[in-house]
Amino acid sequence: MNLKFVGTHLRTLKLGIATLALAVTTLSAQAQQQEHSNPNVRLGQKALLDGDFKSAALHLEKALPAESKDPNVLYLLGYSQFHNGDYTKAAASFGKVIALDSKNANAYYYKAKANNNLAIAKESKLSLAQKEQLLTSAIDDYTKAISVNANDAKLYQNRAIAYRDLGILKGTSETANYNKAAATDAYNKAIVDYEKVLTYDAARKDIQTEVKKAKVYRDNLK
């Protein structure tokens, strides 16, 4: 695969800057190798570069179990599943990546983000305990990612979001899992992480607003 070709086509995808950077990291690593011998992997890569995540996931799934020990293939599968909104499958795929490559900060990031999305989905039929477990897992994975890459601001920002969501879950009165102390602790940790993001860019108005909101949520707990 030609690296220049990869970069050019990835820039055409309508992805956020952070997401694009993560995709480039993995695809660039693969670009340094010869074209993949598995035709389904090649088709999956092409679909991914074209922004067709559904086709990419289908092709990459067909590449298994033959490529089940290749963390790059599993990563691209999880990446495709994530952008299809298949968060349960994405979390499982990134979990497999981590099992093969425990220092893959991007895999921890996406696994955490997928589980966070599952926990707060409006149509979710999960119990409160299951949602709490997912948010706790997300926080743990962001923490592991930070241990690998301590200078990535988005990891602190997303962990703050997970802490905030946990605070909302535990701090909603008249629910079976209401716990003011736990909610207060979650909001405090969210504030710490948001403030860490501000050390990278103090001018970020969105993060300044999130700090204020987290403090209001915390101080209004009943």
Side-chain angles (χ1 to χ4, degrees):
M1 186 187 301
N2 184 283
L3 182 55
K4 185 176 181 181
F5 175 86
V6 172
T8 299
H9 281 259
L10 274 173
R11 281 192 291 273
T12 67
L13 300 181
K14 295 181 180 180
L15 306 175
I17 293 175
T19 301
L20 178 59
L22 294 182
V24 169
T25 298
T26 296
L27 290 174
S28 295
Q30 291 195 349
Q32 295 171 7
Q33 305 172 2
Q34 295 294 322
E35 186 178 62
H36 205 287
S37 60
N38 190 312
N40 281 309
V41 174
R42 295 199 300 271
L43 289 169
Q45 290 172 327
K46 182 181 185 303
L48 182 58
L49 291 171
D50 290 338
D52 186 351
F53 297 111
K54 289 186 178 180
S55 293
L58 288 173
H59 289 303
L60 292 165
E61 285 170 357
K62 289 178 181 179
L64 304 179
E67 308 301 333
S68 60
K69 298 299 182 182
D70 186 334
N72 287 330
V73 173
L74 291 169
Y75 182 96
L76 294 182
L77 173 59
Y79 183 84
S80 301
Q81 292 166 331
F82 181 90
H83 286 285
N84 286 331
D86 294 333
Y87 298 125
T88 299
K89 289 183 178 180
S93 293
F94 286 117
K96 292 175 182 177
V97 175
I98 292 165
L100 295 167
D101 179 9
S102 63
K103 298 298 183 181
N104 193 321
N106 292 341
Y108 284 116
Y109 168 83
Y110 269 117
K111 179 172 176 280
K113 202 169 180 66
N115 281 329
N116 201 149
N117 287 346
L118 286 169
I120 65 172
K122 292 182 179 180
E123 69 278 7
S124 174
K125 296 181 180 179
L126 297 173
S127 68
L128 293 174
Q130 289 172 318
K131 291 179 180 180
E132 182 176 346
Q133 184 177 26
L134 286 171
L135 289 172
T136 300
S137 174
I139 290 166
D140 289 343
D141 282 330
Y142 284 130
T143 300
K144 290 173 183 175
I146 289 169
S147 73
V148 176
N149 187 0
N151 294 313
D152 190 340
K154 77 173 180 301
L155 297 177
Y156 296 98
Q157 180 176 342
N158 281 275
R159 188 171 68 174
I161 291 169
Y163 274 128
R164 179 205 64 193
D165 291 340
L166 181 61
I168 292 171
L169 185 70
K170 300 294 288 183
T172 302
S173 59
E174 300 180 359
T175 59
N177 69 330
Y178 175 76
N179 186 320
K180 182 178 179 179
T184 299
D185 181 64
Y187 284 129
N188 284 336
K189 289 177 177 176
I191 292 165
V192 169
D193 275 348
Y194 281 133
E195 290 177 340
K196 176 68 174 180
V197 176
L198 290 174
T199 66
Y200 292 95
D201 184 357
R204 286 191 59 178
K205 298 295 185 182
D206 59 327
I207 301 301
Q208 293 174 15
T209 298
E210 289 301 326
V211 170
K212 293 176 182 178
K213 286 166 61 177
K215 290 180 178 179
V216 170
Y217 294 155
R218 177 197 63 191
D219 295 343
N220 286 338
L221 289 169
K222 296 180 181 179

